[in-house]
Amino acid sequence: MIIDFLDAVLGESTYELWDKAVASAKGVYSNAQMKKAAVHAAERIREGGLVVFPTETVYGLGADAFNASAVARVYSEKGRPGDNPLILHITNTEQFEELANNPPPYAYELIKAYWPGPLTLVANKKFTLPAWVGGHPDKSTSTVGIRMPAHPVAMAFLKEAGIVAAPSANKSGKPSPTALSHVLEDFPKIESESSDITALDGGSATIGLESTVIDITGDHPKILRHGTITAERISLVTKLPTHDTPKNVAVPQAPGMKYKHYAPRAEMTLISGNAIDVAAYISKCAEESDHRVGILLQEKTRGCFPYPPSNAEILVLGGDDKAMARNLFACLRKFDQMGVGKIYAEAVNESGIGVAIMDRMRKAAEGRVIDV
Ligand code: TXA
Ligand code: MG
């Protein structure tokens, strides 16, 4: 309990995050190759093209934030509804100030503690900016979501390209991509010689869940989307209560939260309870099913399945919160590849990062949770 609490409050430092992302990127590029790829990708952005780039959370599909036709294309490539705004990706606080109008002092505490890192700040927008910037070119927005990613490839690219508007690089409704191979599953044309979308590789995402999104337009920070920067960690540095998004809200807080999300093709159900009961329940469901069944378990529960039903494919989500966050989207995509007809997934304890993991799992399961 105390360890869980400390982990929720302290989490990983910016340095730890950065080092992990550097290790992941080193498996792909030397420093010289990374610089060359970043310069090339930035040229494509300046020409109005789109670029897939890695971050520590998930891969993004980016366009020049001020080029209306390039931004419109991001929406059409993804199949993204126009009322769902995009995050503006930056590399320094001067850019934050070009975008945000009169941010509150607590915003700077958050920036000092957690940027670069998996935290998006939704601020009032500078009046001098075009009305649509931060959203779809046909709409106007009064706020902008801003984030500084902790990934060397993203940093190298954004330093050359300037402010880049980017959603996660998945087709709308699919699990977010935590590896370039996931992006290519959703956008196979990127691999063709004639593709005008450039892709940067950064290895596997080291966090694996999208950034925490916080509204900073009020007196207190308000969570719009949970992530690995938890409510506890936000209150710790702002010394303010953090307003939370109630679970299963009828009115979505961030526009993006109202859409079907993260969904694998098979119908998914979450099973919540102690390991033995969960294992027994899932076994029974699998045995009674005419489908091939995907089973997603925590490491501790895997041992309760010495003889899995013959129609079952078991994947292990992880042995701790960070591993579970990192693996979730990849597991959902793996079940799609395996062609399972139903998925039973063990629910995760909702404390610390577990809040964000369960938020994504609930959405993938479209709210189906069975307590055993
Ligand atoms: O980790 C991440 O945040 C990744 C990487 C690529 O940076 N990006 C990402 O983008 O997850 P996307 O578009 O898939 O999710 C952005 C979320 C959506 O729920 C959107 O509604 C919300 O942020 N958002 C963006 N701008 C906003 C704004 N001005 N007001 C309210 N919500 C906003
Ligand atoms: Mg997304």
Side-chain angles (χ1 to χ4, degrees):
M1 207 50 204
I2 290 176
I3 303 272
D4 282 353
F5 176 75
L6 283 178
D7 209 42
V9 172
L10 299 175
E12 272 182 309
S13 73
T14 304
Y15 300 106
E16 282 171 295
L17 284 182
W18 183 259
D19 282 353
K20 280 190 189 168
V22 167
S24 194
K26 276 212 168 117
V28 182
Y29 297 120
S30 67
N31 281 346
Q33 285 167 334
M34 183 168 84
K35 170 88 184 160
K36 196 164 159 221
V39 167
H40 171 70
E43 272 165 22
R44 304 304 298 271
I45 289 284
R46 279 192 292 276
E47 292 160 8
L50 306 190
V51 170
V52 171
F53 63 100
T55 82
E56 77 283 28
T57 57
V58 302
Y59 278 69
L61 174 63
D64 174 351
F66 297 95
N67 181 329
S69 60
V71 171
R73 209 176 139 213
V74 169
Y75 280 85
S76 59
E77 288 289 347
K78 252 189 85 95
R80 182 177 179 101
D83 63 353
N84 192 3
L86 305 179
I87 294 173
L88 303 180
H89 292 75
I90 62 169
T91 55
N92 59 63
T93 44
E94 287 74 30
Q95 289 171 323
F96 173 70
E97 274 157 6
E98 282 167 32
L99 298 168
N101 188 41
N102 208 7
Y106 71 78
Y108 289 94
E109 300 299 331
L110 289 167
I111 288 172
K112 203 160 61 185
Y114 301 127
W115 274 7
L119 179 69
T120 296
L121 301 179
V122 172
N124 285 317
K125 187 158 92 177
K126 271 263 157 68
F127 302 113
T128 45
L129 293 171
W132 64 270
V133 161
H136 189 282
D138 291 347
K139 313 257 171 198
S140 64
T141 61
S142 58
T143 57
V144 266
I146 310 168
R147 161 164 136 76
M148 193 188 288
H151 194 291
V153 177
M155 273 283 180
F157 159 59
L158 295 169
K159 275 195 173 137
E160 298 288 335
I163 301 172
V164 166
S168 51
N170 52 290
K171 287 274 187 194
S172 232
K174 288 278 167 199
S176 294
T178 56
L180 185 56
S181 60
H182 301 163
V183 181
L184 300 177
E185 273 165 28
D186 285 10
F187 301 95
K189 68 174 183 187
I190 293 177
E191 280 189 296
S192 84
E193 291 256 319
S194 58
S195 169
D196 58 351
I197 303 180
T198 305
L200 292 168
D201 193 352
S204 288
T206 49
I207 291 186
L209 286 188
E210 308 87 344
S211 61
T212 307
V213 180
I214 308 182
D215 180 337
I216 57 159
T217 61
D219 294 342
H220 298 121
K222 185 165 138 206
I223 296 192
L224 303 181
R225 178 175 73 182
H226 286 280
T228 56
I229 307 282
T230 58
E232 292 90 338
R233 295 179 74 195
I234 294 161
S235 287
L236 182 77
V237 301
T238 59
K239 304 191 178 58
L240 292 169
T242 300
H243 291 218
D244 203 345
T245 308
K247 286 183 200 102
N248 302 320
V249 275
V251 182
Q253 308 293 308
M257 305 311 273
K258 73 181 174 214
Y259 297 106
K260 185 174 166 183
H261 256 104
Y262 319 117
R265 271 195 290 274
E267 180 187 277
M268 175 159 143
T269 306
L270 299 182
I271 314 298
S272 169
N274 73 53
I276 293 171
D277 294 343
V278 166
Y281 185 86
I282 294 179
S283 264
K284 187 167 146 287
C285 293
E287 273 158 21
E288 288 170 1
S289 177
D290 301 330
H291 295 101
R292 271 176 85 206
V293 170
I295 300 178
L296 187 59
L297 301 173
Q298 295 173 46
E299 218 162 82
K300 67 177 167 57
T301 313
R302 177 66 184 88
C304 304
F305 271 89
Y307 306 107
S310 58
N311 60 333
E313 302 280 1
I314 298 187
L315 294 180
V316 174
L317 185 55
D320 60 62
D321 281 2
K322 287 190 195 100
M324 292 195 275
R326 202 164 52 236
N327 296 334
L328 175 63
F329 291 143
C331 286
L332 298 183
R333 283 181 178 266
K334 188 87 187 277
F335 282 135
D336 274 353
Q337 280 171 358
M338 290 170 161
V340 301
K342 276 200 188 293
I343 299 171
Y344 294 96
E346 181 180 11
V348 165
N349 183 12
E350 274 177 283
S351 66
I353 302 175
V355 176
I357 301 172
M358 270 301 275
D359 167 71
R360 306 311 191 271
M361 288 180 93
R362 269 210 187 81
K363 291 206 170 71
E366 296 174 276
R368 281 178 293 273
V369 185
I370 296 176
D371 287 306
V372 293

